[in-house]
PDB file of all heavy atoms in Angstrom:
ATOM      1  N   VAL A  35     166.152 -85.031  29.700  1.00 97.00           N
ATOM      2  CA  VAL A  35     165.253 -84.122  28.983  1.00 97.00           C
ATOM      3  C   VAL A  35     164.340 -83.384  29.950  1.00 97.00           C
ATOM      4  O   VAL A  35     164.104 -83.829  31.073  1.00 97.00           O
ATOM      5  CB  VAL A  35     164.363 -84.877  27.968  1.00 97.00           C
ATOM      6  CG1 VAL A  35     165.197 -85.504  26.871  1.00 97.00           C
ATOM      7  CG2 VAL A  35     163.491 -85.910  28.659  1.00 97.00           C
ATOM      8  N   GLU A  36     163.843 -82.254  29.476  1.00 98.00           N
ATOM      9  CA  GLU A  36     162.799 -81.549  30.185  1.00 98.00           C
ATOM     10  C   GLU A  36     161.628 -81.485  29.205  1.00 98.00           C
ATOM     11  O   GLU A  36     161.817 -81.123  28.043  1.00 98.00           O
ATOM     12  CB  GLU A  36     163.293 -80.135  30.516  1.00 98.00           C
ATOM     13  CG  GLU A  36     162.785 -79.651  31.844  1.00 98.00           C
ATOM     14  CD  GLU A  36     163.484 -78.367  32.248  1.00 98.00           C
ATOM     15  OE1 GLU A  36     164.710 -78.416  32.481  1.00 98.00           O
ATOM     16  OE2 GLU A  36     162.819 -77.330  32.286  1.00 98.00           O
ATOM     17  N   VAL A  37     160.449 -81.829  29.630  1.00 98.00           N
ATOM     18  CA  VAL A  37     159.304 -81.985  28.738  1.00 98.00           C
ATOM     19  C   VAL A  37     158.109 -81.211  29.265  1.00 98.00           C
ATOM     20  O   VAL A  37     157.797 -81.280  30.455  1.00 98.00           O
ATOM     21  CB  VAL A  37     158.900 -83.471  28.593  1.00 98.00           C
ATOM     22  CG1 VAL A  37     157.985 -83.653  27.396  1.00 98.00           C
ATOM     23  CG2 VAL A  37     160.103 -84.372  28.497  1.00 98.00           C
ATOM     24  N   GLU A  38     157.446 -80.495  28.366  1.00 98.00           N
ATOM     25  CA  GLU A  38     156.199 -79.815  28.722  1.00 98.00           C
ATOM     26  C   GLU A  38     155.236 -79.953  27.560  1.00 98.00           C
ATOM     27  O   GLU A  38     155.604 -80.415  26.479  1.00 98.00           O
ATOM     28  CB  GLU A  38     156.450 -78.320  29.003  1.00 98.00           C
ATOM     29  CG  GLU A  38     157.241 -78.043  30.270  1.00 98.00           C
ATOM     30  CD  GLU A  38     157.381 -76.542  30.551  1.00 98.00           C
ATOM     31  OE1 GLU A  38     156.511 -75.745  30.106  1.00 98.00           O
ATOM     32  OE2 GLU A  38     158.374 -76.169  31.197  1.00 98.00           O
ATOM     33  N   SER A  39     153.999 -79.515  27.757  1.00 99.00           N
ATOM     34  CA  SER A  39     153.047 -79.425  26.653  1.00 99.00           C
ATOM     35  C   SER A  39     152.255 -78.137  26.792  1.00 99.00           C
ATOM     36  O   SER A  39     152.207 -77.533  27.866  1.00 99.00           O
ATOM     37  CB  SER A  39     152.118 -80.648  26.606  1.00 99.00           C
ATOM     38  OG  SER A  39     151.368 -80.773  27.799  1.00 99.00           O
ATOM     39  N   ALA A  40     151.675 -77.712  25.667  1.00 99.00           N
ATOM     40  CA  ALA A  40     150.921 -76.462  25.643  1.00 99.00           C
ATOM     41  C   ALA A  40     149.871 -76.532  24.552  1.00 99.00           C
ATOM     42  O   ALA A  40     149.947 -77.369  23.651  1.00 99.00           O
ATOM     43  CB  ALA A  40     151.861 -75.274  25.387  1.00 99.00           C
ATOM     44  N   GLY A  41     148.890 -75.645  24.640  1.00 98.00           N
ATOM     45  CA  GLY A  41     147.871 -75.519  23.597  1.00 98.00           C
ATOM     46  C   GLY A  41     148.039 -74.195  22.878  1.00 98.00           C
ATOM     47  O   GLY A  41     148.549 -73.233  23.456  1.00 98.00           O
ATOM     48  N   THR A  42     147.615 -74.158  21.619  1.00 98.00           N
ATOM     49  CA  THR A  42     147.645 -72.862  20.946  1.00 98.00           C
ATOM     50  C   THR A  42     146.462 -72.013  21.397  1.00 98.00           C
ATOM     51  O   THR A  42     146.532 -70.780  21.336  1.00 98.00           O
ATOM     52  CB  THR A  42     147.621 -73.021  19.411  1.00 98.00           C
ATOM     53  OG1 THR A  42     146.448 -73.729  19.025  1.00 98.00           O
ATOM     54  CG2 THR A  42     148.861 -73.760  18.917  1.00 98.00           C
ATOM     55  N   ALA A  43     145.402 -72.659  21.861  1.00 98.00           N
ATOM     56  CA  ALA A  43     144.226 -71.927  22.352  1.00 98.00           C
ATOM     57  C   ALA A  43     144.307 -71.743  23.860  1.00 98.00           C
ATOM     58  O   ALA A  43     145.077 -72.432  24.541  1.00 98.00           O
ATOM     59  CB  ALA A  43     142.956 -72.692  21.998  1.00 98.00           C
ATOM     60  N   ASN A  44     143.505 -70.822  24.380  1.00 98.00           N
ATOM     61  CA  ASN A  44     143.514 -70.581  25.827  1.00 98.00           C
ATOM     62  C   ASN A  44     142.289 -71.191  26.514  1.00 98.00           C
ATOM     63  O   ASN A  44     142.053 -70.940  27.682  1.00 98.00           O
ATOM     64  CB  ASN A  44     143.593 -69.076  26.107  1.00 98.00           C
ATOM     65  CG  ASN A  44     142.364 -68.324  25.628  1.00 98.00           C
ATOM     66  OD1 ASN A  44     141.432 -68.929  25.087  1.00 98.00           O
ATOM     67  ND2 ASN A  44     142.339 -67.017  25.810  1.00 98.00           N
ATOM     68  N   TYR A  45     141.548 -72.037  25.786  1.00 97.00           N
ATOM     69  CA  TYR A  45     140.268 -72.556  26.325  1.00 97.00           C
ATOM     70  C   TYR A  45     140.415 -73.292  27.641  1.00 97.00           C
ATOM     71  O   TYR A  45     139.497 -73.304  28.453  1.00 97.00           O
ATOM     72  CB  TYR A  45     139.620 -73.566  25.363  1.00 97.00           C
ATOM     73  CG  TYR A  45     139.563 -73.218  23.908  1.00 97.00           C
ATOM     74  CD1 TYR A  45     139.764 -74.214  22.945  1.00 97.00           C
ATOM     75  CD2 TYR A  45     139.274 -71.927  23.482  1.00 97.00           C
ATOM     76  CE1 TYR A  45     139.689 -73.928  21.596  1.00 97.00           C
ATOM     77  CE2 TYR A  45     139.206 -71.633  22.119  1.00 97.00           C
ATOM     78  CZ  TYR A  45     139.420 -72.641  21.188  1.00 97.00           C
ATOM     79  OH  TYR A  45     139.362 -72.365  19.851  1.00 97.00           O
ATOM     80  N   HIS A  46     141.527 -74.004  27.817  1.00 98.00           N
ATOM     81  CA  HIS A  46     141.624 -74.934  28.954  1.00 98.00           C
ATOM     82  C   HIS A  46     142.825 -74.638  29.851  1.00 98.00           C
ATOM     83  O   HIS A  46     143.350 -75.527  30.510  1.00 98.00           O
ATOM     84  CB  HIS A  46     141.678 -76.375  28.447  1.00 98.00           C
ATOM     85  CG  HIS A  46     140.463 -76.760  27.664  1.00 98.00           C
ATOM     86  ND1 HIS A  46     139.244 -77.007  28.267  1.00 98.00           N
ATOM     87  CD2 HIS A  46     140.259 -76.879  26.330  1.00 98.00           C
ATOM     88  CE1 HIS A  46     138.348 -77.290  27.326  1.00 98.00           C
ATOM     89  NE2 HIS A  46     138.930 -77.213  26.140  1.00 98.00           N
ATOM     90  N   VAL A  47     143.247 -73.367  29.857  1.00 98.00           N
ATOM     91  CA  VAL A  47     144.377 -72.970  30.701  1.00 98.00           C
ATOM     92  C   VAL A  47     144.054 -73.266  32.169  1.00 98.00           C
ATOM     93  O   VAL A  47     142.967 -72.945  32.647  1.00 98.00           O
ATOM     94  CB  VAL A  47     144.700 -71.469  30.504  1.00 98.00           C
ATOM     95  CG1 VAL A  47     145.720 -70.987  31.540  1.00 98.00           C
ATOM     96  CG2 VAL A  47     145.227 -71.223  29.095  1.00 98.00           C
ATOM     97  N   GLY A  48     144.984 -73.923  32.852  1.00 98.00           N
ATOM     98  CA  GLY A  48     144.809 -74.236  34.269  1.00 98.00           C
ATOM     99  C   GLY A  48     144.023 -75.502  34.543  1.00 98.00           C
ATOM    100  O   GLY A  48     143.912 -75.922  35.694  1.00 98.00           O
ATOM    101  N   GLU A  49     143.472 -76.117  33.479  1.00 98.00           N
ATOM    102  CA  GLU A  49     142.657 -77.322  33.666  1.00 98.00           C
ATOM    103  C   GLU A  49     143.506 -78.584  33.580  1.00 98.00           C
ATOM    104  O   GLU A  49     144.541 -78.624  32.934  1.00 98.00           O
ATOM    105  CB  GLU A  49     141.561 -77.389  32.589  1.00 98.00           C
ATOM    106  CG  GLU A  49     140.529 -76.297  32.725  1.00 98.00           C
ATOM    107  CD  GLU A  49     139.455 -76.375  31.645  1.00 98.00           C
ATOM    108  OE1 GLU A  49     139.296 -77.449  31.021  1.00 98.00           O
ATOM    109  OE2 GLU A  49     138.784 -75.353  31.431  1.00 98.00           O
ATOM    110  N   ARG A  50     142.991 -79.646  34.211  1.00 98.00           N
ATOM    111  CA  ARG A  50     143.661 -80.943  34.104  1.00 98.00           C
ATOM    112  C   ARG A  50     143.314 -81.559  32.760  1.00 98.00           C
ATOM    113  O   ARG A  50     142.368 -81.126  32.092  1.00 98.00           O
ATOM    114  CB  ARG A  50     143.277 -81.863  35.259  1.00 98.00           C
ATOM    115  CG  ARG A  50     141.849 -82.325  35.271  1.00 98.00           C
ATOM    116  CD  ARG A  50     141.567 -83.143  36.535  1.00 98.00           C
ATOM    117  NE  ARG A  50     141.742 -82.341  37.732  1.00 98.00           N
ATOM    118  CZ  ARG A  50     142.303 -82.766  38.865  1.00 98.00           C
ATOM    119  NH1 ARG A  50     142.749 -84.000  38.956  1.00 98.00           N
ATOM    120  NH2 ARG A  50     142.416 -81.972  39.898  1.00 98.00           N
ATOM    121  N   PRO A  51     144.072 -82.583  32.317  1.00 98.00           N
ATOM    122  CA  PRO A  51     143.758 -83.207  31.034  1.00 98.00           C
ATOM    123  C   PRO A  51     142.342 -83.788  30.998  1.00 98.00           C
ATOM    124  O   PRO A  51     141.744 -84.065  32.040  1.00 98.00           O
ATOM    125  CB  PRO A  51     144.805 -84.328  30.924  1.00 98.00           C
ATOM    126  CG  PRO A  51     145.951 -83.851  31.752  1.00 98.00           C
ATOM    127  CD  PRO A  51     145.324 -83.114  32.898  1.00 98.00           C
ATOM    128  N   ASP A  52     141.824 -83.978  29.800  1.00 98.00           N
ATOM    129  CA  ASP A  52     140.538 -84.629  29.588  1.00 98.00           C
ATOM    130  C   ASP A  52     140.541 -85.982  30.318  1.00 98.00           C
ATOM    131  O   ASP A  52     141.543 -86.705  30.276  1.00 98.00           O
ATOM    132  CB  ASP A  52     140.355 -84.840  28.075  1.00 98.00           C
ATOM    133  CG  ASP A  52     138.967 -85.351  27.727  1.00 98.00           C
ATOM    134  OD1 ASP A  52     138.692 -86.545  27.968  1.00 98.00           O
ATOM    135  OD2 ASP A  52     138.166 -84.557  27.196  1.00 98.00           O
ATOM    136  N   PRO A  53     139.426 -86.340  30.969  1.00 97.00           N
ATOM    137  CA  PRO A  53     139.369 -87.617  31.698  1.00 97.00           C
ATOM    138  C   PRO A  53     139.707 -88.821  30.812  1.00 97.00           C
ATOM    139  O   PRO A  53     140.267 -89.813  31.296  1.00 97.00           O
ATOM    140  CB  PRO A  53     137.911 -87.697  32.164  1.00 97.00           C
ATOM    141  CG  PRO A  53     137.422 -86.291  32.179  1.00 97.00           C
ATOM    142  CD  PRO A  53     138.194 -85.548  31.120  1.00 97.00           C
ATOM    143  N   ARG A  54     139.401 -88.713  29.513  1.00 97.00           N
ATOM    144  CA  ARG A  54     139.722 -89.831  28.602  1.00 97.00           C
ATOM    145  C   ARG A  54     141.234 -89.936  28.374  1.00 97.00           C
ATOM    146  O   ARG A  54     141.760 -91.036  28.192  1.00 97.00           O
ATOM    147  CB  ARG A  54     138.974 -89.644  27.278  1.00 97.00           C
ATOM    148  CG  ARG A  54     137.446 -89.703  27.436  1.00 97.00           C
ATOM    149  CD  ARG A  54     136.726 -89.157  26.221  1.00 97.00           C
ATOM    150  NE  ARG A  54     136.977 -87.721  26.026  1.00 97.00           N
ATOM    151  CZ  ARG A  54     136.516 -86.990  25.022  1.00 97.00           C
ATOM    152  NH1 ARG A  54     135.753 -87.565  24.093  1.00 97.00           N
ATOM    153  NH2 ARG A  54     136.788 -85.706  24.936  1.00 97.00           N
ATOM    154  N   SER A  55     141.935 -88.818  28.394  1.00 98.00           N
ATOM    155  CA  SER A  55     143.402 -88.862  28.294  1.00 98.00           C
ATOM    156  C   SER A  55     144.015 -89.387  29.594  1.00 98.00           C
ATOM    157  O   SER A  55     144.966 -90.173  29.562  1.00 98.00           O
ATOM    158  CB  SER A  55     143.975 -87.468  27.998  1.00 98.00           C
ATOM    159  OG  SER A  55     143.886 -87.181  26.625  1.00 98.00           O
TER     160      SER A  55
END
Side-chain angles (χ1 to χ4, degrees):
V35 296
E36 215 170 295
V37 196
E38 291 184 26
S39 60
T42 59
N44 65 1
Y45 314 142
H46 300 286
V47 171
E49 293 180 19
R50 68 185 62 220
D52 187 285
R54 296 165 295 178
S55 278

